[in-house]
Amino acid sequence: MKSKITFLFTLVLGSFLCFGQELALVKEGKKAGYINKSGEFAIPIQFDDAKSFSDGMAAAEKDDMWGFINTSGEWAIQPEYDKVKYFNSGVALVLKDDNWYYIDKTGSKIDAPVADKYFDFNDGVAFYRANDQIGLIGPDGKVVLEPSFDAIKKFRNGHAKVKKNDLWGMIDKTGELVIPAEYTALGNTWTPAGVDARKGEAFGIVSNGTFNVIEGADKVWGFKGDSKLAYARKGKKIGFVNSQGEWVIEPSYEKARAFVDGLAPVANGKMWGYIDESGKMVIEASYRDAEVFSDGMAPVKDKRWGFIDKTGSLVIPMEYDITAGFAFISGRDSKGFINGLARVKSKKGWGFLDKTGKLLADKWFENAEPFESVK
């Protein structure tokens, strides 16, 4: 009995550690490998080129051909392709002998309907274009939604905006319309609070099936994350509205970004600070630029970038460059901290800082991409 319990504990612990593992693609001497969050090489520098992990696999190049490796750095799919895309939903798009097609994680070809163009999978579906119309297919290659829209944009939070007869709506992953295609413009991202929209000359928020017009607005931006406030512009000034389209913070700023963790960057003139959801300036406007909070920290800029905490204290000096990198893989904004680490650039190269400003493994790389989950 004791040995069985020990075995089960080890199995569960191993599964937990595997699930939580993250690796970052790094490059040195024109070769690529992967480090873990301790800064150790989980997969040594060895590949001619490589991409970040996605869906438990990473594309890697050897002798001008591409294949896919597993988390041990072993070839799960041998390098035999001219080009490859990222795995998503258990499927990847590959090019061989001038033909694009889908493969699963065993490298087997997936039968899919003939299309004018093939698209990457995202969130369980891929676009399917035929006769200038767009539909959806699933990971098994079967049609989920017959081509019936003029355009479908990237799925975000399980929803995608669609275009029909020059008007926009939004569908879920089954292809069902959750917002009718009756809007002149529509935001890209579905959130629980609603979606920013325009109908004719009116700007507002679509929430629970209702278009709530924002009085006097001539532009509106979407909600971010689970925030209940979006920002909008009226008379060349920006303020914040709720899902009903009501002004919660009157338009009084020349520039603004979204609320995250209860704080939003705003600016009048050249200097940025942060307000809370009551509109009170809680971090003085003293920065040349400022990004939204992430993981309790926010990037702020003088000549270069550093990081403040939510009290406004400068924790990491403004000595670095930051960039969005390739956050589209996971949908995360990599300008700030993610799970305790921030990707930054110095004169010595790319690296990762913890929340005290300590450099991960005291090591800079020629290039480093954001950490990505390997599961």
Side-chain angles (χ1 to χ4, degrees):
M1 177 64 71
K2 182 178 180 180
S3 62
K4 289 183 178 179
I5 293 174
T6 302
F7 171 76
L8 288 172
F9 176 78
T10 303
L11 181 63
V12 171
L13 179 62
S15 299
F16 174 79
L17 291 174
C18 185
F19 179 80
Q21 187 182 10
E22 293 183 69
L23 298 179
L25 171 67
V26 296
K27 295 183 179 180
E28 289 183 326
K30 298 183 179 180
K31 294 283 187 178
Y34 299 82
I35 60 172
N36 60 27
K37 297 192 79 172
S38 296
E40 302 165 337
F41 274 101
I43 301 174
I45 294 283
Q46 60 184 289
F47 303 106
D48 298 336
D49 199 359
K51 300 181 181 183
S52 293
F53 269 88
S54 175
D55 202 14
M57 307 273 273
E61 183 187 30
K62 180 181 179 182
D63 299 329
D64 294 324
M65 301 298 288
W66 286 85
F68 293 89
I69 59 172
N70 60 25
T71 56
S72 298
E74 301 165 338
W75 291 106
I77 299 174
Q78 291 296 317
E80 58 183 65
Y81 304 103
D82 300 311
K83 294 180 181 179
V84 298
K85 300 296 187 69
Y86 292 93
F87 261 99
N88 187 297
S89 311
V91 181
L93 194 56
V94 298
L95 176 67
K96 187 175 183 179
D97 300 329
D98 292 326
N99 291 312
W100 285 100
Y101 57 92
Y102 296 109
I103 61 171
D104 63 22
K105 288 187 175 182
T106 70
S108 299
K109 184 177 180 179
I110 297 173
D111 290 330
V114 176
D116 300 338
K117 179 181 178 181
Y118 292 98
F119 297 85
D120 294 338
F121 270 81
N122 170 39
D123 210 3
V125 291
F127 302 152
Y128 164 41
R129 188 172 77 185
N131 300 319
D132 294 325
Q133 293 284 286
I134 303 288
L136 301 172
I137 59 173
D140 58 1
K142 295 180 180 179
V143 176
V144 174
L145 172 67
E146 291 290 345
S148 53
F149 292 103
D150 302 324
I152 303 179
K153 298 299 182 179
K154 181 179 179 179
F155 273 83
R156 302 171 189 270
N157 299 334
H159 298 73
K161 73 175 186 178
V162 295
K163 187 178 183 181
K164 187 73 174 178
N165 299 325
D166 290 327
L167 294 175
W168 293 93
M170 188 164 282
I171 60 172
D172 62 19
K173 290 189 293 183
T174 70
E176 182 179 352
L177 270 170
V178 294
I179 297 177
E182 59 187 31
Y183 295 93
T184 309
L186 192 67
N188 291 311
T189 305
W190 180 92
T191 73
V195 181
D196 51 295
R198 175 186 168 196
K199 182 181 281 190
E201 298 302 315
F203 291 81
I205 303 293
V206 180
S207 179
N208 295 324
T210 301
F211 178 57
N212 301 306
V213 176
I214 303 170
E215 184 272 322
D218 59 14
K219 188 173 178 62
V220 57
W221 292 264
F223 297 90
K224 188 175 179 67
D226 58 1
S227 173
K228 293 179 173 55
L229 295 179
Y231 55 117
R233 188 178 66 194
K234 175 183 177 181
K236 297 184 179 181
K237 293 288 187 177
I238 296 173
F240 293 83
V241 300
N242 60 22
S243 60
Q244 301 306 307
E246 300 164 334
W247 291 103
V248 176
I249 299 174
E250 289 297 321
S252 58
Y253 302 102
E254 295 175 4
K255 299 177 183 177
R257 294 191 171 106
F259 268 99
V260 176
D261 292 340
L263 297 175
V266 295
N268 276 320
K270 296 182 178 180
M271 306 308 287
W272 288 78
Y274 292 82
I275 59 172
D276 64 17
E277 292 176 342
S278 72
K280 179 182 177 182
M281 184 72 73
V282 293
I283 298 177
E284 182 182 355
S286 57
Y287 306 105
R288 294 188 181 182
D289 203 350
E291 292 287 344
V292 299
F293 272 84
S294 174
D295 209 9
M297 306 278 279
V300 292
K301 184 180 182 181
D302 186 8
K303 292 182 179 179
R304 303 184 77 184
W305 292 88
F307 294 85
I308 60 172
D309 63 20
K310 293 184 71 173
T311 70
S313 298
L314 185 66
V315 179
I316 298 174
M318 291 180 270
E319 300 174 350
Y320 303 100
D321 293 322
I322 61 174
T323 180
F326 292 96
F328 63 83
I329 300 170
S330 61
R332 301 184 298 188
D333 183 351
S334 62
K335 289 183 179 181
F337 274 85
I338 300 173
N339 296 332
L341 292 174
R343 173 178 176 264
V344 299
K345 184 181 181 182
S346 75
K347 294 180 180 179
K348 297 179 181 179
W350 291 92
F352 299 91
L353 302 180
D354 68 16
K355 290 186 176 181
T356 69
K358 182 181 178 181
L359 179 65
L360 180 65
D362 197 29
K363 177 69 175 176
W364 295 102
F365 300 93
E366 289 179 14
N367 192 23
E369 296 301 335
F371 278 92
E372 298 291 343
S373 171
V374 299
K375 290 295 179 183

